[in-house]
Amino acid sequence: QVQLVESGGGLVQAGGSLRLSCVVSGTIFSTRLMEWFRQAPGKERELVAGITRGGTTNYADSVGGRFTISRDNAKNTVYLQMNSLKPEDTAVYYCKTQVFSKTYWGQGTQVTVSS
């Protein structure tokens, strides 16, 4: 069974930093596209960043230059380093992968940025 477990969320002041982690089990992590999404109250879930198995990354315009996605295949873990955080970054952050056309999500981790 594929499982994704996020951690690292919390409360931070504007301008601060957090690093989220997502540990993946039940699949060959190194072969998977990994993505981070977020969902703010009353809003749709949106893509924040993605990283391919080859290490190619992409970012939402709203976080480019502030967030960095990375992966450690030896630890089956994908990270999201978030710098210069803004109140509008407040959301539940989820990691996601797909295995044989089935989508898997983690349980989410809350990030709250105070002004």
Side-chain angles (χ1 to χ4, degrees):
Q1 179 72 358
V2 178
Q3 290 187 319
L4 290 75
V5 179
E6 301 101 334
S7 62
L11 173 64
V12 63
Q13 288 187 332
S17 298
L18 284 173
R19 188 176 81 154
L20 306 184
S21 301
C22 173
V23 179
V24 181
S25 60
T27 187
I28 303 172
F29 175 79
S30 61
T31 66
R32 303 300 170 198
L33 167 69
M34 296 300 304
E35 296 174 307
W36 284 98
F37 283 71
R38 67 186 181 188
Q39 188 166 21
K43 295 188 176 181
E44 293 187 353
R45 195 170 295 189
E46 62 174 359
L47 176 66
V48 175
I51 184 166
T52 69
R53 61 184 181 180
T56 301
T57 59
N58 65 284
Y59 299 93
D61 290 343
S62 59
V63 306
R66 299 188 298 122
F67 290 11
T68 302
I69 188 171
S70 62
R71 66 192 300 158
D72 185 337
N73 290 336
K75 295 182 178 180
N76 286 1
T77 303
V78 60
Y79 302 98
L80 186 67
Q81 177 68 44
M82 306 185 295
N83 299 328
S84 302
L85 283 160
K86 304 175 181 180
E88 51 263 44
D89 295 318
T90 295
V92 179
Y93 284 71
Y94 300 90
C95 60
K96 172 199 166 189
T97 194
Q98 277 191 291
V99 179
F100 300 123
S101 300
K102 185 173 181 180
T103 299
Y104 295 89
W105 296 90
Q107 82 287 355
T109 185
Q110 176 71 46
V111 172
T112 303
V113 184
S114 63
S115 57

